Amino acid sequence: MGSSKCCEKEGLKRGPWTAEEDQKLTAYIQLHGHGSWSTLPEKAGLKRCRKSCRLRWINYLRPDIKRGKFSLQEEQTIVQLHAFLGNRWSVIAAQLPKRTDNEIKNHWNTHLKKRLIKMGIDPKTHKPRIDALGFPTRHGGIDANLSHMAQWERARLEAEARSAGVSNNKPAVPNHVQPKKSQFGCLTPRPKCLDLLRAWQGLVTGMFNFSDRDDLESPGSISNFSHRGFQVPTAGINQNAAGEGTLLPCIATNSYTCDELDDVGNWKRCEKFNQMQEFDEALQGRTCSTEDAGFVDRIYVEGNDYEVIANFMGDSPGTLVGVPASYSSMELEISNGSCSIGCMADDGSYWDPTLKFMNASSSDSSVF
DNA sequence: AATCCGATCAACCGCGAACGA
DNA sequence: TTCGTTCGCGGTTGATCGGAT
């Protein structure tokens, strides 16, 4: 486990923790909180360095962590987020409740990475791997699907590049990828990148779903993805004579109305939706559920920067609502199949997107 | 039964960022 | 602005386990 450093110089203990040490650390933190990690070991009566204590608590002893097998959903999320974020395990872990970055990192390195490699997908780029002759690697009968995968991946990278390029002063990975604590003390529901990636979730689902069972231990064909349900959060948009875009209530099945939209960068999302058309015939029984509530994408309409949010009420199809991107702190609550959204601006003012949307629709104003 | 070997995962280290003096 | 300290992240190591030989 590496050469000794901070622990050895002061005669501190290293290696596996004993039950007694765990008990001491847990008892101390439950009573006092961890406070300063540098002083904790001494106060807690542990002959361990601060790093060792912190790691033990965060990765093992903390009460709000889940251990054991990763679910299909969790694995999909990891793969999707890794495609966007790379090895930013702490950010990925923030989107997987009760999982630690260390656990996710280990799971990636020991399971997911190998599974992707087996499928002929480069785990670093998430692109189909190219052999020495420049041809995509062959793996069973999945070539056709890999080409689809490659198209999706291209779309993903293009979207990523655009989002970085549209605003030079914005980081390539937006800040809101980082989970934020809102005034209500809750984490924002999820980063937009999850939604960008949701479009190809069906492919990933195909990669990780095997026949009729959810057993993940044996890789299966990805060729059956087209027969599966494919949840697609979709956008409806209307242009008036002046060329202004107005968001419409959107039934959460595909509504590819984007062809006529401008080609100057507004409504970037639509390009992605157009690419989804080629899957149109293959996709059946598309429905959108409350799982799709939350961020959909960032759009730029009339020079304004908006977040688009799928908003679901009860069991009815969702609507899309727009929120100024400056309203960074979102609240989303799902209960009894109903989803409500509210947003807090940095100055503390509150934005009710549903209300704004309805007002805007009735007044025929631009966008909202 | 003994040994080997690959897989797994807890734990450690180095480094950069954040922060305060 | 600089410097020292602390924290947290990502990469890596090595103990352990289980299956194969």
Side-chain angles (χ1 to χ4, degrees), chain A residues 140-303:
Chain A
I142 66 176
D143 287 14
N145 290 312
L146 284 179
S147 76
H148 285 289
M149 189 72 185
Q151 285 184 320
W152 278 104
E153 184 62 7
R154 262 199 304 279
R156 179 187 71 75
L157 292 170
E158 286 166 7
E160 193 175 13
R162 273 197 301 272
S163 72
V166 164
S167 173
N168 290 333
N169 60 359
K170 284 173 185 150
V173 178
N175 286 337
H176 47 247
V177 168
Q178 299 280 353
K180 293 176 186 170
K181 286 276 187 179
S182 72
Q183 289 184 303
F184 304 111
C186 302
L187 291 175
T188 49
R190 64 184 184 190
K192 285 191 292 302
C193 54
L194 268 183
D195 299 288
L196 282 166
L197 286 159
R198 184 173 286 278
W200 56 284
Q201 180 167 336
L203 287 172
V204 179
T205 301
M207 289 158 55
F208 287 90
N209 266 350
F210 310 122
S211 65
D212 293 327
R213 62 204 187 97
D214 283 334
D215 181 353
L216 303 176
E217 294 308 309
S218 58
S221 167
I222 70 169
S223 63
N224 59 352
F225 78 97
S226 61
H227 304 297
R228 297 183 174 277
F230 191 46
Q231 295 183 343
V232 183
T234 58
I237 193 166
N238 186 34
Q239 268 188 312
N240 62 22
E244 295 169 333
T246 304
L247 280 176
L248 294 175
C250 182
I251 297 173
T253 55
N254 286 353
S255 56
Y256 301 116
T257 58
C258 309
D259 288 343
E260 71 274 23
L261 291 181
D262 71 68
D263 57 358
V264 295
N266 292 340
W267 196 244
K268 304 273 190 190
R269 176 70 171 176
C270 296
E271 295 172 25
K272 210 169 181 68
F273 278 84
N274 283 343
Q275 293 186 14
M276 290 164 64
Q277 278 185 288
E278 68 182 82
F279 292 104
D280 210 20
E281 291 180 4
L283 305 179
Q284 296 177 359
R286 287 169 298 236
T287 57
C288 217
S289 71
T290 50
E291 283 182 25
D292 291 311
F295 284 118
V296 172
D297 205 353
R298 172 171 291 204
I299 63 168
Y300 300 86
V301 180
E302 298 298 301

Side-chain angles (χ1 to χ4, degrees), chain A residues 62-216:
Chain A
R62 218 174 43 173
D64 59 333
I65 57 174
K66 179 168 73 180
R67 308 193 66 78
K69 197 176 173 182
F70 280 72
S71 69
L72 169 65
Q73 190 65 45
E74 286 174 318
E75 292 191 323
Q76 286 177 1
T77 302
I78 294 168
V79 172
Q80 290 168 5
L81 285 174
H82 188 272
F84 256 77
L85 300 165
N87 295 354
R88 300 179 65 192
W89 304 115
S90 61
V91 180
I92 294 172
Q95 307 309 320
L96 287 167
K98 302 186 177 185
R99 295 291 189 182
T100 68
D101 54 358
N102 203 38
E103 197 178 11
I104 292 169
K105 180 174 59 181
N106 282 334
H107 191 65
W108 170 266
N109 286 327
T110 56
H111 295 105
L112 300 181
K113 192 161 84 174
K114 290 172 186 172
R115 208 178 294 165
L116 289 178
I117 291 169
K118 262 187 182 175
M119 291 167 165
I121 295 169
D122 187 329
K124 281 186 180 175
T125 63
H126 291 251
K127 285 182 173 178
R129 291 161 71 198
I130 306 298
D131 65 16
L133 296 173
F135 297 105
T137 52
R138 292 185 163 269
H139 244 290
I142 66 176
D143 287 14
N145 290 312
L146 284 179
S147 76
H148 285 289
M149 189 72 185
Q151 285 184 320
W152 278 104
E153 184 62 7
R154 262 199 304 279
R156 179 187 71 75
L157 292 170
E158 286 166 7
E160 193 175 13
R162 273 197 301 272
S163 72
V166 164
S167 173
N168 290 333
N169 60 359
K170 284 173 185 150
V173 178
N175 286 337
H176 47 247
V177 168
Q178 299 280 353
K180 293 176 186 170
K181 286 276 187 179
S182 72
Q183 289 184 303
F184 304 111
C186 302
L187 291 175
T188 49
R190 64 184 184 190
K192 285 191 292 302
C193 54
L194 268 183
D195 299 288
L196 282 166
L197 286 159
R198 184 173 286 278
W200 56 284
Q201 180 167 336
L203 287 172
V204 179
T205 301
M207 289 158 55
F208 287 90
N209 266 350
F210 310 122
S211 65
D212 293 327
R213 62 204 187 97
D214 283 334
D215 181 353
L216 303 176

